[in-house]
Amino acid sequence: SHILDLSLEANALTELPPAFGASCPALTRLNLQQNSLAQLPASLAQLPRLREVWLGDNQLRTLAPLEHCSGL
């Protein structure tokens, strides 16, 4: 996939698919603001080009999957 910038803002999402990170490896910007996410899939660690992430207004308890995204 060649998606670089993805906005899923305000979509009432409660979860992302487990393979989300593997499905868009070129992603550099991800907007997940204003959803109902309680956790992020571990596959986000597979986004080496990720530079910007917006997560405000969710119910996240941890950002652990993002610890492996060295570009953040």
Side-chain angles (χ1 to χ4, degrees):
S1 171
H2 298 290
I3 298 171
L4 300 177
D5 191 344
L6 180 61
S7 179
L8 297 171
E9 182 177 2
N11 277 288
L13 298 174
T14 57
E15 63 183 3
L16 295 175
F20 180 83
S23 65
C24 40
L27 201 62
T28 60
R29 290 183 298 229
L30 177 60
N31 185 345
L32 295 171
Q33 293 186 104
Q34 298 177 4
N35 283 290
S36 297
L37 298 171
Q39 62 183 6
L40 298 172
S43 66
L44 286 186
Q46 298 173 11
L47 297 173
R49 298 179 183 173
L50 195 61
R51 299 292 178 262
E52 299 176 29
V53 181
W54 294 276
L55 298 169
D57 295 321
N58 279 288
Q59 287 122 25
L60 295 168
R61 293 181 190 93
T62 179
L63 301 177
L66 298 177
E67 291 175 357
H68 303 288
C69 297
S70 60
L72 292 175

